[in-house]
C-alpha cells in the first residue's frame, strides 16, 4: 500500500510539474499578444481580424421548428378569432 501511495504521489508531482511548465510557456506569448494589441490601439492602427470565417454555423430552420412555429401561429389565430367572436356575442347580448 505504501508503494502504491508513493507511486501515486510521484505521478501527481510529475503531472503537476509538466502542467506548470506548459502553462509557464504560454503566458509570455499571451502577454506579448496583449501588449501588441494595446500598442496597435494606442497608435490608432486598424485591427485586422485573424479569423476569416465565422465560427457559428448559419442557422437554418428544420422541419420541427417550422412545425412548431406553424402550430404556435395556429393557436394564436384560433384564440384571437375565438375571443373576437365571444366578445361580439357578449356585446350583442348586452344590447
Amino acid at each position: 500500500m505504501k508503494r502504491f501511495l508513493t507511486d501515486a504521489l510521484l505521478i501527481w508531482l510529475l503531472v503537476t510539474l509538466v502542467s506548470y511548465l506548459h502553462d509557464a510557456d504560454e503566458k509570455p506569448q499571451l502577454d506579448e499578444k496583449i501588449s501588441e494589441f494595446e500598442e496597435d490601439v494606442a497608435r490608432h492602427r486598424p485591427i485586422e481580424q485573424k479569423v476569416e470565417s465565422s465560427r457559428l454555423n448559419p442557422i437554418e430552420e428544420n422541419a420541427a421548428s417550422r412545425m412548431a412555429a406553424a402550430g404556435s401561429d395556429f393557436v394564436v389565430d384560433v384564440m384571437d378569432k375565438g375571443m373576437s367572436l365571444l366578445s361580439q356575442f357578449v356585446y350583442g347580448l348586452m344590447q
Side-chain angles (χ1 to χ4, degrees):
M1 186 69 176
K2 287 182 183 180
R3 184 174 175 120
F4 173 74
L5 290 176
T6 306
D7 289 343
L9 180 64
L10 289 174
I11 290 172
W12 178 77
L13 280 170
L14 183 63
V15 168
T16 304
L17 181 63
V18 169
S19 67
Y20 175 74
L21 292 175
H22 181 66
D23 289 341
D25 290 341
E26 290 181 4
K27 288 184 181 181
Q29 294 174 355
L30 180 62
D31 290 337
E32 289 172 6
K33 288 182 180 181
I34 290 173
S35 63
E36 180 183 328
F37 175 76
E38 289 174 348
E39 289 171 5
D40 288 345
V41 170
R43 292 181 191 149
H44 300 289
R45 288 195 310 195
I47 308 298
E48 295 178 9
Q49 184 178 0
K50 305 240 187 276
V51 179
E52 294 297 324
S53 63
S54 174
R55 292 184 181 180
L56 298 176
N57 294 332
I59 297 173
E60 297 177 6
E61 288 189 8
N62 56 18
S65 66
R66 284 192 300 267
M67 189 172 73
S72 175
D73 291 342
F74 175 73
V75 169
V76 168
D77 287 342
V78 167
M79 292 299 291
D80 185 42
K81 299 272 195 288
M83 286 296 120
S84 177
L85 289 174
L86 183 64
S87 65
Q88 288 176 1
F89 178 72
V90 170
Y91 182 73
L93 287 176
M94 293 178 80
Q95 288 184 353

